[in-house]
Amino acid sequence: MALDEATRPLSLALTDEHEMLLTAVRDFARREIAPVAARYDESGEFPLDTVRKMGAMGLMGIEMPEEYGGAGMDTLAHVLTMIEIAKADASHSTILSVNNSLYCNGILWFGSEAQKREWIKPVASGEAIGAYSLTEPMSGSDAGNMASRAVLNDAGSHYIINGRKSWVTSAPFADRIVLFTMTADPPRSPHGDGGKTKGKITAFLIDTSQPGFSRGKTEPKLGIRASATSEIIFDDYACPVENVLGGVGQGFKIAMAVLDAGRIGIAAQALGIAEAAYEAALEYARERQAFGAPIGSYQMIQQKIADMKTRIEAGRALIYQAIITKERAMAIGGRYTTEASMAKLFCSEAAAYITDEALQIHGGMGYSKEMPLERYYRDARITRIYEGTSEIQRMVIARNELGLR
Ligand code: CAA
């Protein structure tokens, strides 16, 4: 949607409900998540206990209507929650984001009434964990170029799914997955067919307790180490035709539409990590003495503080603009792809800069595992990669601006 005056709404209002949510989430994140974040980062263990607590608070389906087990709130509520949880621990915010944006949204927007009741409710209420599976070993940025395959059986009752998907966030613990795979012959080349499969991709609702589903290796990651990521393998998995989401061949567009919303969440996550690093740096700059004065009194540190704060507020403004454009698109139609990509691009790159400078302000202490700075620095790195790399965001923004596809 173009950002012209005719389409631009005036403001984004923080209601009493948002304020209450913010207070509750901030308190929970400080009390329950921040104290265990370093331990989970070190062990790489999935924080099931605190994830269940986030579910009990309604945070695992913030934007889902209450009738489907959600909290019935809006995108601003989701963003405020993501920022606060990410400030305490990025891994928790990744699990929250995938559950809310990538899993639930697709079913809410494209599912039948029966699918919404059956597939959103347990995940939005936090009883079950949801995941989203688009990437394959040979297809990441070029998401339309798939090799996995679903073939309708002779009875017309089930799709038989075969193939391997990779980099699936939460997969080692996921009970339900929105899967994107081809409902057509796979390309002859193992490197794909240059994206010609896009129109043949279909979304399926997968129950991971069924035969034919298994999990591959869990990725040993640089950051967000408590958010489990693995391959998933389909070996003659029989998926009932009722579990097709949004129609055969509609999968690519569903995946892209869902990623638009997901990218706003990742922008918020990046902003939360950046804020945590910035606040630590501010405190350190006030307290740490060098050459007889607090280091914050020196202009070289002041320049860093000014540049960090400016990027944080610029990122927040881009996120708010993306929310406004999204809410408007949801109400009257249109897309918010460019705004979501700009918010993710800017915030993820700002988070890289801010966590790096915050670590620098801390000097040797920033490099030590005694402080959370090195964790912020590692955790921020993924936000420039998942849900579309910075290069893909730039491509999306430029193509939309130029009117190209
Ligand atoms: N909303 C709705 N429809 C969209 C859309 C959107 N945002 N973007 C594209 N489409 C539609 C187009 O209109 C087009 O439809 P028509 O054919 O009817 O015209 C169709 O989809 C194909 O679009 P393109 O030709 O533009 O597709 P492309 O292949 O050239 O490029 C891309 C698409 C933007 C590069 C896309 O492949 C992309 O976003 N890649 C990055 C993938 C990604 O983000 N992966 C991360 C996966 S999730 C993850 O990180 C793991 C996790 O668990 C967190």
Side-chain angles (χ1 to χ4, degrees), residues 343-360:
K344 181 187 184 278
L345 172 64
F346 187 87
C347 289
S348 60
E349 301 213 333
Y353 170 82
I354 291 163
T355 54
D356 185 54
E357 289 290 51
L359 194 154
Q360 189 71 14

Side-chain angles (χ1 to χ4, degrees), residues 34-44 89 91 221-226 359 362-379:
V36 298
R39 176 164 61 79
Y40 279 118
D41 172 61
E42 188 70 29
S43 69
D89 179 39
S91 292
K221 303 194 298 290
L222 172 75
I224 56 161
R225 288 176 33 76
L359 194 154
H362 282 78
M365 284 310 294
Y367 201 64
S368 165
K369 280 193 178 287
E370 297 286 311
M371 299 204 73
L373 276 301
E374 60 84 35
R375 174 164 56 87
Y376 300 149
Y377 179 78
R378 286 185 287 109
D379 286 348

Side-chain angles (χ1 to χ4, degrees), residues 303-322:
Q303 181 183 357
K304 293 185 195 300
I305 298 289
D307 288 351
M308 290 157 86
K309 177 65 174 166
T310 303
R311 287 177 206 215
I312 285 173
E313 297 312 328
R316 199 187 320 277
L318 278 171
I319 292 175
Y320 285 177
Q321 188 58 59

Side-chain angles (χ1 to χ4, degrees), residues 7 58 89 140 216 234 273 275 336 357 401:
T7 56
D89 179 39
F234 293 88
I273 302 169
E275 278 191 12
Y336 55 98
E357 289 290 51
E401 284 297 286

Side-chain angles (χ1 to χ4, degrees), residues 65-119:
E66 290 174 27
E67 60 193 295
Y68 305 133
M73 295 189 76
D74 57 9
T75 307
L76 179 56
H78 180 206
V79 158
L80 295 172
T81 301
M82 279 296 292
I83 293 172
E84 292 306 318
I85 300 291
K87 274 174 92 163
D89 179 39
S91 292
H92 279 77
S93 65
T94 299
I95 300 161
L96 186 113
S97 174
V98 168
N99 222 67
N100 274 279
S101 297
L102 297 190
Y103 177 87
C104 288
N105 274 342
I107 306 172
L108 183 71
W109 296 338
F110 300 98
S112 66
E113 187 55 34
Q115 286 175 335
K116 289 179 202 176
R117 294 202 179 277
E118 185 183 342
W119 292 84

Side-chain angles (χ1 to χ4, degrees), residues 98 102 132 134-135 140-144 167-169 198 252-253 256-257 259-260 263 335 337 386-388 392 395-396 399 405:
V98 168
L102 297 190
Y132 166 103
L134 179 67
T135 303
S141 289
D142 185 6
W167 289 102
V168 186
T169 301
K198 268 180 301 207
F252 191 74
K253 288 180 189 177
M256 292 298 113
L259 277 172
D260 284 347
R263 287 168 182 166
R335 296 241 301 253
T337 305
Y386 63 12
E387 298 203 28
I392 287 293
M395 185 174 121
V396 168
R399 275 189 188 180
R405 275 215 303 103

